[in-house]
Amino acid sequence: MLIKSIPNWAIKEGQETPEAIYLNRRSLIKGFAGALAVGSVGGNIGGALAQAGRAPMDFTHNDAFVLDRELTPEDVNIRYNNFYEFGSHKRISDNAERNLKPRPWQIEIDGLVNKPLTLDVDELIGRVGGLEERLYRHRCVEAWSMTVPWIGFPVQKLVDLVDPLGSAKYLRMETFNDGEMADGIGSQPWYPWPYVEGITMAEASNDLAFLVVGAYGKQVANSMGAPIRLHLPWKYGFKSIKSIVKFSFVEERPVSYWEEISKGREYGFWANVNPEVPHKRWSQANETVLHTQERVPTLLYNGYGEQVAHLYAGMEDQDLFV
Ligand code: MTE
């Protein structure tokens, strides 16, 4: 099998700007509604296809998550994506909106658990006891970033539903693998489908680990990983697997999709954000904020160190930031 060792989404060396440009707009945005009120979220210019048919969601806004920058407009988020199942470029949105069928959507939760489950995504949503909105920063390994008003629930709520055994050490997640629904699967046979990701049980139990089912007040758009995706805001974006069909509690550390492609050389298992550890081919010191195009300094753990640094205490011998 031909495996490309360097993903197409990787920026080329030399595209990075060396100097940091500090944020001069530090308006604290307290919530999606507030953001709309101050006019910081652009309207949906175009994107009519991407908006079609997504139901509004019931959720409670969680005030604990504030941003130091503007929310990324919805249309930018929906139309600038990495979703290789639909092609190895950023403009997969129309393809995903046309072809991904996010409902009905069956999810399997299995492995080392007392209560394995197979259920529909809406049943899962009904069983987690309410959805919340959180404003998160999202930092791609390619040195661009966004902010997103996600709607979802902590991963821990899914863990609680199935009662894992003590022998479960990792949570492995898998995206759908259906070439009828996503033409990038058949046309790029050199990639190791399905997309797989994994996290430790301690990471899964951290409050920041979030399963996303909505964004911008509605069901999450197909291009952003409908109907259910992960978001781990302290890690590079490739850990945040989209359109999940299977969660397995396992003993062995899973090999994730990009880890397998790059043989761990460029995209490792941990992938925690660190401005001081460059990617093999570019610096991670700064990032371009999409839409405003500002260059801002990248923060250790993407600014979430207080919540997650303890997870990695004593693990300095591992490549935590690659
Ligand atoms: N999940 C699947 N199934 N397929 C993918 O190609 N791309 C990853 C991640 N999850 C990807 C995926 C990468 S590289 C990033 S940066 C984020 O999704 C992008 O999420 P966004 O398009 O919502 O910004």
Side-chain angles (χ1 to χ4, degrees):
M1 183 170 70
L2 173 63
I3 290 187
K4 291 188 175 172
S5 61
I6 298 170
N8 298 350
W9 44 261
I11 49 171
K12 310 271 182 307
E13 198 170 12
Q15 282 185 300
E16 290 301 277
T17 315
E19 71 265 39
I21 300 169
Y22 284 87
L23 279 173
N24 52 14
R25 269 182 281 169
R26 302 198 62 85
S27 54
L28 284 178
I29 295 169
K30 288 238 155 107
F32 178 52
L36 281 172
V38 299
S40 62
V41 177
N44 289 318
I45 9 151
L49 183 61
Q51 310 305 315
R54 285 188 295 121
M57 304 202 92
D58 280 335
F59 59 88
T60 310
H61 177 73
N62 187 332
D63 289 326
F65 300 93
V66 290
L67 296 175
D68 60 353
R69 60 191 73 159
E70 292 176 2
L71 275 177
T72 305
E74 181 178 17
D75 201 63
V76 174
N77 236 319
I78 288 178
R79 296 192 156 270
Y80 188 90
N81 307 97
N82 280 325
F83 202 166
Y84 266 48
E85 286 83 345
F86 293 97
S88 48
H89 52 85
K90 297 287 181 288
R91 302 288 166 196
I92 55 78
S93 181
D94 286 346
N95 186 2
E97 290 310 319
R98 253 193 309 272
N99 296 306
L100 175 59
K101 304 283 176 268
R103 276 173 175 79
W105 190 269
Q106 187 168 286
I107 296 170
E108 260 182 87
I109 315 177
D110 67 7
L112 302 169
V113 295
N114 283 313
K115 297 187 248 171
L117 272 178
T118 299
L119 73 184
D120 184 78
V121 65
D122 289 317
E123 196 187 339
L124 175 63
I125 292 172
R127 288 177 67 165
V128 294
L131 299 175
E132 54 178 295
E133 180 189 59
R134 297 182 175 190
L135 311 185
Y136 273 2
R137 285 194 296 275
H138 170 29
R139 168 61 157 86
C140 179
V141 73
E142 298 170 298
W144 53 261
S145 65
M146 295 184 180
T147 52
V148 202
W150 294 125
I151 298 167
F153 55 92
V155 176
Q156 179 64 43
K157 291 201 175 179
L158 176 137
V159 174
D160 291 342
L161 285 180
V162 293
D163 189 16
L165 305 176
S167 50
K169 301 280 179 276
Y170 297 91
L171 175 56
R172 180 188 185 278
M173 288 152 281
E174 205 175 288
T175 298
F176 69 89
N177 188 8
D178 178 350
E180 297 278 301
M181 198 154 70
D183 57 10
I185 292 177
S187 66
Q188 304 175 102
W190 51 86
Y191 288 124
W193 312 109
Y195 201 102
V196 168
E197 261 306 339
I199 53 177
T200 65
M201 288 301 289
E203 290 176 328
S205 295
N206 186 277
D207 183 51
L208 282 181
F210 205 53
L211 280 166
V212 169
V213 294
Y216 298 93
K218 292 170 280 210
Q219 291 173 336
V220 68
N222 287 0
S223 62
M224 292 165 76
I228 181 165
R229 70 166 297 167
L230 181 68
H231 192 230
L232 307 167
W234 71 98
K235 290 181 182 283
Y236 292 116
F238 65 87
K239 293 290 298 182
S240 291
I241 180 170
K242 296 177 167 182
S243 304
I244 305 168
V245 291
K246 191 168 182 182
F247 296 85
S248 303
F249 290 80
V250 296
E251 198 161 356
E252 296 280 304
R253 189 168 100 176
V255 178
S256 47
Y257 177 84
W258 285 113
E259 191 182 8
E260 184 169 340
I261 292 168
S262 75
K263 303 287 175 244
R265 286 189 301 263
E266 299 194 342
Y267 309 101
F269 176 80
W270 298 103
N272 295 309
V273 175
N274 187 337
E276 289 179 10
V277 179
H279 182 277
K280 285 223 162 28
R281 289 173 289 122
W282 60 85
S283 162
Q284 294 291 21
N286 304 304
E287 66 205 50
T288 300
V289 180
L290 290 190
H291 189 60
T292 66
Q293 298 306 117
E294 283 179 293
R295 293 285 298 172
V296 302
T298 287
L299 303 173
L300 181 61
Y301 294 112
N302 200 22
Y304 297 95
E306 211 175 297
Q307 292 96 323
V308 297
H310 67 274
L311 295 172
Y312 309 103
M315 295 172 60
E316 292 73 17
D317 58 324
Q318 306 215 26
D319 284 335
L320 293 173
F321 305 106
V322 174

